[in-house]
Amino acid sequence: MNMQTSAVMAPPSPKTLADVGLSHVMIRDIVLKTLFRKNTNVVTELARAICLPVPITQEIIDMARAQGLLEAMGTLGAGGTVSSEMPYQLTDSGKARALDALAQSEYFGPMPVPLDVYRAQIKRQSIRNIQITRDQLTGAMGHLILPSDLIANLGPAVSSGRSILMYGPPGNGKSSISNGIRDAMGDKIYVPRAIEYSGQVITVYDPIVHSKAEDDAENASALRRTARFDRRYVLCARPTVITGGELSLDMLDLVYNPTARTYQAPLQLKSTGGIFIVDDLGRQAEPPQKLVNRWIVPLEENKDILALQSGEKFEVPFDTLVIFSTNFHPNEIFDQAALRRIFFKIKIGGPSQEDFLKIFALVARKKKMQLDEASLVHLLKNKYPTINNVYANYQPVFLIDQMIAVCDFEGIPYKMTPDLVDRAWGNMFVKDEVIVK
């Protein structure tokens, strides 16, 4: 798929109750729980709450009425209301059944998507279908000064949808490059609000992770028409999950809520169709080798294995571009078997002196710091030799911010001077020294 010319195929809206893909008992119980928990009593409101078309929702209501669980609340337009819809309410038996269903699971609202149905949608919007062009990647990283060969190395890695390891000294933009890769993926995919496996509900859509592309709310007239896509999904930008030193192995497992008796999808499942960035690899409590070992099956077989509270294990698709970013040399933290399973290894080094000066000038212009040739010469000839002329991308921002802070405090114009350079440099490094206690 060329993301510039093709759109992801939308999940078709169910046309019959059978198309929902869930057992009639589960569908009915979710409707009863929704009516019990939410202030809805007409078909269009209920259809919006459970994310199903109105005709199917009406069929569920008729089924529940036939079982004595729902009853009509009078006649159409009764009580002087302008509504033309028949209101419904739970009968005593319906309330009892709703409470019993809530005792088994507190989940109500949008109907979940069966896992097998979601598998088909993942194939339609796979991260491996994306073909990133040089222009797209360059455009997404236009604010960065990068070595000339870096885009050439990154492009094939991103387009393959395979795992990437970016390594190199700190402060050279590995995180910014990861974010640039995310920004280069400009298309949208469909994220299920929840999925169902073996009668268990697993919530997937997370507003913190997923950026909704459009309002899912529909008015009554829109609900009566055929929906453009299955409203059990949310149209979103391709997701990006970013973790750092806080990442632990248990964050990659299903999260069970014992109160609600439902599950929440782990981070890698929420990132399906998008990017999972493991930043600062080597700073986690878990050893890097152990973390990467957890990814061996997903990276090699494009599937992950999760477990329910009962101990039952099941497979879910693994369709995620995993980017590992570390300040350590790979040979220090991985064995060769682990490195073999990470498809692309890209070193992100520090800038040359020429690129450093370009970055410095860009940052100074953006922050309105007036440059001074004598001060720049002082910086390059007297300061950088003390650290063996090792340049890093973070340094221009750090030094200029330090100089601006001094200027603000002293009440002087934003103009670079050798004295400001010395004061800024003094805060960039800590000398090795013995502190007498």
Side-chain angles (χ1 to χ4, degrees):
M1 176 191 296
N2 187 313
M3 57 187 286
Q4 291 179 305
T5 59
S6 302
V8 166
M9 185 182 297
S13 181
K15 294 181 173 56
T16 67
L17 191 57
D19 291 341
V20 178
L22 304 172
S23 72
H24 284 193
V25 171
M26 186 175 196
I27 292 172
R28 180 204 65 193
D29 285 352
I30 289 177
V31 165
L32 296 179
K33 289 187 286 184
T34 303
L35 287 169
F36 188 86
R37 290 295 195 203
K38 295 177 70 73
N39 185 26
T40 53
N41 58 12
V42 295
V43 177
T44 53
E45 292 177 354
L46 181 60
R48 188 177 299 112
I50 64 175
C51 298
L52 291 181
V54 168
I56 295 178
T57 304
Q58 184 65 61
E59 184 178 350
I60 300 167
I61 286 177
D62 293 342
M63 179 176 65
R65 288 185 70 190
Q67 296 173 1
L69 303 173
L70 285 179
E71 60 185 359
M73 297 168 59
T75 58
L76 293 175
T81 62
V82 295
S83 172
S84 61
E85 293 192 64
M86 175 76 75
Y88 298 92
Q89 67 180 8
L90 295 168
T91 63
D92 288 342
S93 296
K95 291 177 183 177
R97 178 58 205 164
L99 287 169
D100 184 53
L102 285 165
Q104 297 175 47
S105 168
E106 280 280 345
Y107 183 83
F108 64 91
M111 289 288 168
V113 177
L115 177 58
D116 285 342
V117 175
Y118 181 40
R119 290 182 199 275
Q121 184 58 33
I122 289 174
K123 290 182 180 179
R124 288 192 283 263
Q125 60 192 28
S126 174
I127 190 76
R128 293 173 179 82
N129 292 342
I130 285 181
Q131 182 61 52
I132 295 287
T133 66
R134 176 180 287 273
D135 288 344
Q136 284 174 292
L137 200 54
T138 301
M141 299 187 186
H143 61 296
L144 301 175
I145 305 294
L146 300 174
S148 57
D149 62 342
L150 184 56
I151 295 294
N153 291 330
L154 278 175
V158 176
S159 293
S160 74
R162 308 289 290 271
S163 54
I164 302 172
L165 171 64
M166 293 193 297
Y167 66 97
N172 284 310
K174 292 185 292 297
S175 299
S176 297
I177 292 169
S178 298
N179 293 333
I181 292 172
R182 173 197 63 194
D183 295 341
M185 297 179 178
D187 63 342
K188 300 173 180 62
I189 63 171
Y190 297 87
V191 178
R193 301 173 195 271
I195 58 176
E196 176 270 341
Y197 172 77
S198 191
Q200 302 297 315
V201 177
I202 303 167
T203 59
V204 177
Y205 174 70
D206 182 345
I208 296 176
V209 171
H210 301 107
S211 299
K212 190 192 307 186
E214 63 180 29
D215 191 355
D216 282 296
E218 300 179 19
N219 57 39
S221 61
L223 277 166
R224 295 182 189 281
R225 300 193 297 268
T226 301
R228 291 182 295 111
F229 63 87
D230 188 341
R231 285 292 169 180
R232 292 179 292 173
Y233 292 83
V234 182
L235 183 61
C236 298
R238 287 191 181 269
T240 299
V241 173
I242 304 176
T243 63
E246 78 283 0
L247 178 64
S248 59
L249 285 174
D250 59 6
M251 294 169 67
L252 305 178
D253 297 329
L254 284 173
V255 179
Y256 181 69
N257 184 328
T259 302
R261 289 168 292 281
T262 58
Y263 293 88
Q264 183 179 118
L267 295 175
Q268 72 275 20
L269 187 54
K270 290 181 181 180
S271 68
T272 298
I275 304 175
F276 192 110
I277 299 172
V278 182
D279 207 359
D280 285 330
L281 186 64
R283 305 294 182 190
Q284 294 78 13
E286 308 278 2
Q289 182 74 46
K290 193 172 182 180
L291 283 172
V292 171
N293 286 346
R294 170 62 178 82
W295 294 91
I296 287 177
V297 170
L299 292 177
E300 288 193 339
E301 302 183 22
N302 301 328
K303 67 181 181 182
D304 197 8
I305 299 174
L306 302 176
L308 300 174
Q309 281 289 105
S310 63
E312 179 183 356
K313 295 184 178 181
F314 63 102
E315 293 181 4
V316 294
F318 186 83
D319 186 69
T320 302
L321 172 62
V322 182
I323 301 177
F324 300 101
S325 175
T326 182
N327 298 332
F328 296 94
H329 192 282
N331 291 338
E332 296 177 15
I333 55 177
F334 298 127
D335 61 25
Q336 292 304 307
L339 282 175
R340 187 177 67 250
R341 291 177 169 92
I342 301 176
F343 207 68
F344 291 91
K345 297 92 171 171
I346 300 175
K347 183 177 180 180
I348 310 296
S352 64
Q353 186 183 91
E354 180 183 357
D355 284 343
F356 171 83
L357 289 173
K358 288 180 182 178
I359 298 169
F360 203 99
L362 284 173
V363 174
R365 184 163 59 248
K366 181 179 179 181
K367 294 179 178 287
K368 297 180 172 54
M369 169 61 72
Q370 185 178 345
L371 295 179
D372 172 70
E373 184 176 352
S375 300
L376 279 173
V377 170
H378 174 64
L379 177 65
L380 298 178
K381 299 297 184 183
N382 299 323
K383 295 301 178 182
Y384 271 97
T386 65
I387 59 168
N388 298 318
N389 293 314
V390 175
Y391 301 96
N393 287 315
Y394 81 93
Q395 293 165 351
V397 176
F398 184 95
L399 291 168
I400 290 172
D401 281 346
Q402 287 281 333
M403 288 187 275
I404 286 173
V406 174
C407 291
D408 286 340
F409 177 73
E410 301 289 358
I412 58 178
Y414 288 179
K415 182 177 180 180
M416 189 175 175
T417 67
D419 178 62
L420 285 177
V421 169
D422 290 340
R423 294 178 69 171
W425 187 269
N427 280 326
M428 194 157 66
F429 302 103
V430 177
K431 293 180 180 179
D432 290 329
E433 57 185 336
V434 177
I435 299 177
V436 180
K437 298 180 181 179

